[in-house]
Coordinates of all heavy atoms in Angstrom, one line a residue:
G402 N 124.1 117.7 150.0 CA 124.0 118.8 150.9 C 125.0 118.8 152.1 O 125.1 119.8 152.8
I403 N 125.7 117.8 152.2 CA 126.8 117.8 153.2 C 128.0 118.5 152.6 O 128.5 118.0 151.6 CB 127.2 116.4 153.7 CG1 126.0 115.6 154.3 CG2 128.4 116.4 154.7 CD1 125.5 116.3 155.6
L404 N 128.5 119.6 153.2 CA 129.6 120.3 152.7 C 130.9 119.5 153.1 O 131.8 119.3 152.3 CB 129.7 121.7 153.2 CG 128.5 122.6 152.8 CD1 128.6 123.9 153.5 CD2 128.4 122.7 151.3
Y405 N 131.0 119.2 154.4 CA 132.2 118.5 154.9 C 131.9 117.8 156.2 O 130.9 118.1 156.9 CB 133.4 119.5 155.0 CG 133.2 120.8 155.8 CD1 133.6 120.9 157.1 CD2 132.7 121.9 155.1 CE1 133.5 122.1 157.8 CE2 132.5 123.1 155.8 CZ 132.9 123.2 157.1 OH 132.8 124.4 157.8
S406 N 132.8 116.9 156.5 CA 132.7 116.2 157.9 C 133.7 116.8 158.8 O 134.7 117.4 158.3 CB 132.9 114.7 157.7 OG 134.1 114.5 157.2
I407 N 133.4 116.7 160.1 CA 134.4 117.2 161.1 C 134.7 116.0 162.0 O 133.8 115.2 162.4 CB 133.8 118.3 162.0 CG1 133.6 119.5 161.2 CG2 134.7 118.6 163.2 CD1 133.1 120.7 162.0
Q408 N 135.9 115.8 162.3 CA 136.3 114.8 163.3 C 137.2 115.5 164.4 O 138.2 116.0 164.1 CB 137.0 113.7 162.7 CG 137.0 112.5 163.6 CD 138.0 111.4 163.2 OE1 138.4 110.6 164.0 NE2 138.5 111.4 162.0
C409 N 136.7 115.6 165.6 CA 137.5 116.1 166.7 C 138.1 115.0 167.5 O 137.4 114.0 167.8 CB 136.6 116.8 167.8 SG 136.0 118.4 167.4
L410 N 139.4 115.1 167.7 CA 140.1 114.0 168.4 C 141.0 114.5 169.4 O 141.7 115.5 169.2 CB 141.0 113.3 167.3 CG 140.5 112.0 166.7 CD1 141.7 111.5 165.8 CD2 140.1 111.0 167.7
V411 N 141.0 113.9 170.6 CA 142.0 114.2 171.6 C 142.8 112.9 171.8 O 142.2 111.8 171.8 CB 141.5 114.7 172.9 CG1 141.1 116.1 172.8 CG2 140.4 113.8 173.4
F412 N 144.1 113.0 171.9 CA 144.9 111.8 172.2 C 146.1 112.2 173.0 O 146.6 113.3 173.0 CB 145.4 111.1 170.9 CG 145.8 112.0 169.8 CD1 147.1 112.5 169.8 CD2 144.9 112.5 168.9 CE1 147.5 113.4 168.8 CE2 145.3 113.4 167.9 CZ 146.6 113.8 167.8
W413 N 146.5 111.2 173.8 CA 147.6 111.5 174.7 C 148.4 110.2 175.0 O 147.8 109.1 174.9 CB 147.1 112.1 176.0 CG 146.1 111.3 176.8 CD1 146.4 110.5 177.9 CD2 144.7 111.1 176.6 NE1 145.2 109.9 178.3 CE2 144.2 110.3 177.5 CE3 143.8 111.7 175.6 CZ2 142.8 109.9 177.6 CZ3 142.4 111.3 175.7 CH2 142.0 110.4 176.7
P414 N 149.7 110.4 175.3 CA 150.5 109.2 175.5 C 150.4 108.7 176.9 O 149.8 109.4 177.8 CB 151.9 109.7 175.2 CG 151.8 111.1 175.6 CD 150.4 111.6 175.3
E415 N 151.0 107.6 177.2 CA 151.1 107.0 178.5 C 151.9 108.1 179.4 O 152.8 108.7 178.9 CB 152.0 105.8 178.4 CG 152.1 105.0 179.7 CD 151.2 103.7 179.6 OE1 151.4 103.0 178.7 OE2 150.4 103.6 180.5
N416 N 151.5 108.3 180.6 CA 152.1 109.2 181.5 C 152.2 110.7 181.0 O 153.2 111.4 181.1 CB 153.6 108.8 181.8 CG 153.6 107.4 182.4 OD1 152.8 107.1 183.2 ND2 154.6 106.6 182.0
A417 N 151.1 111.1 180.3 CA 151.0 112.4 179.7 C 151.1 113.4 180.9 O 150.6 113.2 182.0 CB 149.8 112.6 178.9
E418 N 151.7 114.6 180.6 CA 151.7 115.6 181.6 C 150.4 116.2 181.9 O 150.0 116.5 183.1 CB 152.6 116.8 181.1 CG 154.1 116.5 181.3 CD 155.0 117.5 180.7 OE1 154.6 118.6 180.5 OE2 156.1 117.1 180.3
V419 N 149.5 116.3 180.9 CA 148.2 116.9 181.1 C 147.3 115.7 181.4 O 147.4 114.6 180.9 CB 147.7 117.5 179.8 CG1 146.3 118.1 179.9 CG2 148.7 118.7 179.4
S420 N 146.3 115.9 182.3 CA 145.5 114.8 182.8 C 144.4 114.4 181.7 O 144.0 115.2 180.9 CB 144.8 115.1 184.1 OG 143.8 116.1 183.8
E421 N 144.0 113.2 181.8 CA 142.9 112.7 180.9 C 141.7 113.6 180.9 O 141.1 113.9 179.9 CB 142.5 111.2 181.3 CG 141.3 110.7 180.6 CD 141.1 109.2 180.8 OE1 142.1 108.5 181.1 OE2 140.0 108.8 180.7
E422 N 141.3 114.1 182.1 CA 140.2 114.9 182.3 C 140.3 116.2 181.5 O 139.3 116.7 180.9 CB 139.9 115.3 183.8 CG 139.5 114.2 184.7 CD 140.5 113.1 184.9 OE1 141.7 113.5 185.0 OE2 140.1 111.9 185.0
K423 N 141.5 116.7 181.4 CA 141.7 118.0 180.6 C 141.4 117.7 179.1 O 140.8 118.5 178.4 CB 143.2 118.4 180.7 CG 143.5 119.0 182.0 CD 143.3 120.6 182.0 CE 143.6 121.1 183.3 NZ 142.9 122.3 183.7
Y424 N 142.0 116.6 178.6 CA 141.7 116.3 177.2 C 140.3 116.1 176.9 O 139.7 116.6 176.0 CB 142.5 115.0 176.8 CG 144.0 115.2 176.7 CD1 144.9 114.7 177.7 CD2 144.6 115.9 175.6 CE1 146.2 114.9 177.6 CE2 145.9 116.1 175.5 CZ 146.8 115.6 176.5 OH 148.1 115.8 176.4
L425 N 139.6 115.2 177.8 CA 138.2 115.0 177.5 C 137.4 116.2 177.7 O 136.4 116.5 177.0 CB 137.7 113.9 178.5 CG 138.4 112.5 178.2 CD1 137.9 111.5 179.2 CD2 138.2 112.0 176.8
G426 N 137.8 117.1 178.7 CA 137.1 118.4 178.9 C 137.2 119.3 177.7 O 136.2 119.9 177.3
W427 N 138.4 119.3 177.1 CA 138.6 120.1 175.9 C 137.6 119.7 174.8 O 136.9 120.4 174.1 CB 140.0 120.1 175.4 CG 140.3 120.9 174.2 CD1 140.6 122.3 174.2 CD2 140.2 120.6 172.8 NE1 140.8 122.7 172.9 CE2 140.5 121.7 172.0 CE3 139.9 119.4 172.1 CZ2 140.5 121.7 170.6 CZ3 139.9 119.4 170.7 CH2 140.2 120.5 170.0
L428 N 137.6 118.3 174.6 CA 136.7 117.7 173.6 C 135.3 118.1 173.8 O 134.5 118.5 172.9 CB 136.9 116.2 173.6 CG 136.3 115.5 172.4 CD1 137.0 115.7 171.1 CD2 136.2 114.0 172.7
N429 N 134.8 117.9 175.0 CA 133.4 118.2 175.4 C 133.1 119.6 175.2 O 132.0 120.0 174.7 CB 133.1 117.7 176.8 CG 133.0 116.2 176.9 OD1 132.8 115.6 175.9 ND2 133.3 115.6 178.0
E430 N 134.0 120.5 175.6 CA 133.7 121.9 175.4 C 133.7 122.3 173.9 O 132.8 123.1 173.5 CB 134.7 122.8 176.1 CG 134.4 122.9 177.6 CD 135.5 123.6 178.4 OE1 136.2 124.5 177.8 OE2 135.7 123.2 179.6
M431 N 134.5 121.7 173.1 CA 134.5 122.0 171.7 C 133.2 121.5 171.1 O 132.6 122.1 170.3 CB 135.8 121.3 171.0 CG 135.9 121.6 169.6 SD 136.1 123.4 169.2 CE 137.8 123.6 169.2
R432 N 132.8 120.3 171.5 CA 131.6 119.7 171.0 C 130.4 120.6 171.3 O 129.6 120.9 170.5 CB 131.3 118.3 171.7 CG 130.1 117.6 171.1 CD 129.5 116.6 172.1 NE 130.4 115.6 172.5 CZ 130.3 114.3 172.1 NH1 129.5 114.0 171.2 NH2 131.1 113.4 172.5
S433 N 130.3 121.1 172.6 CA 129.2 122.0 172.8 C 129.3 123.4 172.1 O 128.3 123.9 171.6 CB 128.9 122.3 174.3 OG 129.9 121.8 175.1
F434 N 130.5 123.9 172.0 CA 130.7 125.1 171.3 C 130.3 125.0 169.9 O 129.7 126.0 169.3 CB 132.2 125.5 171.4 CG 132.5 126.7 170.5 CD1 132.1 128.0 171.0 CD2 133.2 126.6 169.3 CE1 132.3 129.1 170.2 CE2 133.4 127.7 168.5 CZ 133.0 129.0 169.0
L435 N 130.5 123.9 169.2 CA 130.2 123.7 167.8 C 128.7 123.5 167.6 O 128.2 123.6 166.4 CB 131.0 122.6 167.2 CG 132.5 122.8 167.0 CD1 133.2 121.5 166.5 CD2 132.7 124.0 166.0
T436 N 127.9 123.2 168.6 CA 126.5 122.8 168.4 C 125.7 123.7 167.5 O 125.1 123.2 166.6 CB 125.8 122.8 169.8 OG1 126.5 121.9 170.7 CG2 124.4 122.2 169.7
P437 N 125.8 125.0 167.6 CA 124.9 125.8 166.7 C 125.4 125.8 165.2 O 124.6 126.2 164.4 CB 125.1 127.3 167.2 CG 125.8 127.1 168.6 CD 126.5 125.9 168.6
Y438 N 126.6 125.3 165.0 CA 127.1 125.4 163.6 C 127.2 124.1 162.8 O 127.6 124.1 161.7 CB 128.5 126.0 163.7 CG 128.5 127.2 164.6 CD1 129.1 127.2 165.9 CD2 127.8 128.4 164.3 CE1 129.0 128.2 166.8 CE2 127.8 129.5 165.2 CZ 128.4 129.4 166.4 OH 128.3 130.4 167.3
V439 N 126.8 123.0 163.5 CA 126.8 121.7 162.8 C 125.4 121.3 162.5 O 124.4 122.0 162.8 CB 127.5 120.7 163.7 CG1 129.0 121.1 164.0 CG2 126.8 120.5 165.0
S440 N 125.2 120.2 161.8 CA 123.9 119.7 161.4 C 123.0 119.6 162.6 O 123.4 119.2 163.7 CB 124.0 118.4 160.7 OG 124.5 117.4 161.5

Side-chain angles (χ1 to χ4, degrees):
I403 299 296
L404 299 175
Y405 51 97
S406 59
I407 292 186
Q408 197 195 159
C409 282
L410 260 186
V411 284
F412 41 87
W413 59 99
E415 188 101 58
N416 304 318
E418 278 172 27
V419 178
S420 69
E421 170 167 335
E422 289 69 36
K423 285 267 182 213
Y424 287 105
L425 297 178
W427 183 86
L428 187 74
N429 286 336
E430 278 174 30
M431 183 60 91
R432 186 207 295 260
S433 3
F434 174 72
L435 289 174
T436 307
Y438 314 107
V439 298
S440 62

